[in-house]
Amino acid sequence: MKNSFKKIITGVSALALCTTAAVTAAQAWEPKKPVELIIMAGKGGGADQMARLWQGIIQQNKLSPRPFIPVNKPGGSGGEALQYLKSKAGDNHVVMVTLNSYYTTPIMQPELNVDISTFTPIARMALDTFLLWVRPDEGIKTLDEYVEKVKAAGKDWKVGGTGSGQEDSILTAMMEAEFGYDVTYIPFPGGGTVAKNLIGGHIDSTVNNPSEQSEFYRAGQSMPIVQFNDERSPAYPDTPTAKELGHDIVYYMQRSINGPADMDPEAAEWYRDLFKKVFDSAEWQKFCNEDGIDCSTWLDAAGLEEFHKNGLARHKNLIEQVGAKAITGE
Amino acid sequence: MFQEILVHLGEGLLEAFQPLNMMMIFFGCLAGLFVGALPGLGSVNGVAILLPVTFLVPPTSAIIFLAALYYGAMYGGAISSITLGIPGASTAVATVFDGRPMAQKGLADQALMAAAIASFLGGTVSIVLFTLFAPPLAKFALAFGPPEEFSLMILAFATFVGLGGDDIPKTIFSILIGLLLATIGLDIISGRPRLIFFDIPGFLHGINFLVLAIGIYGIGEMLWTLETTQGKVQVENVKITWKRFVSNLKQVKEYIGGATLGSFLGFFVGTLPAAGATPASLMSYGLTKTFSKDPDSFGKGKPAGVAAPEAANNSASTGSMLPMITLGIPGSPTTAVLLGGMIIWGLRPGPLLFAEHPEFVWGLVGSMYIANFVTVVLNLALIPVFVKVLATPFTVLAPIIFTLCVVGGFAPTQDMHDVWLMLLFGVFGYLLRKLDYPVAPAVLAIVLGPLAESSLRQTLIAGQGSAAVFLERPIALTCFFFALMLVLYPVYQAFTRKGKKKAEAAEA
């Protein structure tokens, strides 16, 4: 309680005060050994690419006296990573890169017994976006054509995504509910593998994040049909949003950094200060712009805590609405 | 088209011959040798640790350094496998099977030379294939969906038959133990925990393959050696003379066949995303043994048993660069880290990289040719140094092996749980060995089990429960056919051998 009170105070205080506090905190605490940067997804996916980019920015600009070592724990839709973070309570040398499975996996897998509100929120780095992707040879140009084709194919239409019971399957289930069709959803271990399976013709469509598909799109091997943001992303100015077309499907992927429970406040503050520098770096902002990721707003501890609370509530609602079964396909 | 490739390659070689890049190759290979030789460190961690160093140089030099390190580590893994009996990296597990018995017979220098020459062959074959066929091979990798992946795994399982020896029930038992261990942890498809014994959280990430391999081979072997030798030195100090070197060199014809097979197989398996060098080396060992004239002599110290996996792991390490560069999908854990490096340097791997950054891609290709030469020379020159290790009394060596095993068990996941598990597997491996059970099939099963399971389930989900999909896939059918042949071949061999023996007995 005392901790969160302190965080709120820090969050709302003036910018000058905030920076001074961060500077003194940075002097007070520094990592004494390599920091584990846990990624709750597989290699080559969006989260993985970002984590490795952050690691690079940290090392290149000498922002940390000790290196950050990315560790992938993709098992069980992030369940493995969550369990791991839970077991690291009080450890100041572990931080985790989270996705929306941060909310969905504890809901879908109550036996994991993970309560994310006990973890230490550090910073939100971005809101990643989702687009609906198909291959050009499928002859689909618009959302209407897509829906028509999927309806005709029924269960023979194969949608690939990362894991089951997490963001890709939720978005797929949201689309099923909105358009009234029923597809076959195939889980893969990472976004990179999903993208490759679309290009190779093993699945019919995906809801990949832009960073996973952008190179294939530039090579003319895949194309976006619709995006699920509030407004068109600057990187994809010609692709309509679902909202514009009269379908209320808005869905983002949060990219944030969180520490284990009971992390020392000084340590958390040090990481916050570090990731603010990463967030402001030219490399990160360039990456966001190229890939159509929303990196306009940085959230600190208080903001992120509130954001997580809303995220958890929204996903509880979504899962109730579409039904857990529609998501896992059981 | 051919001419175009030659022009590009020439430019690439010129790029690689820049003094800075040459230096990068040399130091990369040297660092790789040591990283590979230290158990548990492996090329993944080596590349990850040295990634920041590369920010000081241009991207092409940086990838050249890291690729040389990756490459050197593939050679290096063989060193501890042969001299200490501990696999230096997961890719060098198959090298232990015959490398360690050779060392015990006092033939460590021969084993190390077989490893170096086979690696050179594997490296050369794969880099030539890479140069000539990168774009079509990338297309082929795309054709591999879940059904094809599953059929490839079945093909790999079929090579078990070659790994197990004569006692088929014991081999099947060993496979099943491996598969059972592979199911522990969180299920990738449904996300549900499976076989979490006593609710110990350490089981959630499953059983790391290296934990089993280091336990069984490192600790199990140490216990076995302590029992049989009572701590006496069992290897005489080998004097490495020029004459011996030349006579070792003449041995090449004995294992050139296995090494060639391993080179092609390794490259092919390496190019497929998700497979990588470890299954490639194990498959290569199994196949070479199956098709050998004298399969029974494997596992007792045969140079071909060292050459086949070593050729395959080097070849696969080049092969796994292909999906990384052309598809942006890493074919192995190490290339995943390299991929991260490329993104930091501002290069986006994908289908356009070849066209947009030819100097980068071809500089890398050129450097691989040179790195191959550098490592083989370094290795041959260092053989006398490595062999010295074996002259140490085992009472001194055993504690060192034990320490290296503990470090190797801890390093991949940094969890003490895995160290306890590794020690448990060590005792288990020792008992299996006393009871004459083959352990290699269990090791292969734990690597391939999870890959086989998820690809089978993805196929069945896509087919809405029907396995008929397999019949529509030509690549999958071909793999299944060869798998069947592989299973039947030893049976056929056993029958003909029995017939021969009977005939001989009748004559006598």
Side-chain angles (χ1 to χ4, degrees), chain A residues 80 109 155 164 187 196 202, chain B residues 142 144 189 191 205 464 473:
Chain A
E80 183 191 356
Q109 300 175 41
K155 269 280 182 194
S164 66
K196 178 220 142 197
H202 307 292
Chain B
L142 274 178
F144 258 71
I189 303 279
H205 63 242
Q464 294 162 51
R473 316 286 285 227

Side-chain angles (χ1 to χ4, degrees), chain A residues 293-324:
Chain A
I293 301 165
D294 183 356
C295 290
S296 51
T297 326
W298 189 77
L299 287 185
D300 64 4
L304 185 58
E305 197 170 8
E306 184 68 24
F307 178 78
H308 281 333
K309 213 187 262 172
N310 293 338
L312 199 60
R314 175 161 191 227
H315 280 89
K316 258 190 193 138
N317 252 330
L318 279 175
I319 289 171
E320 261 169 39
Q321 264 173 34
V322 298

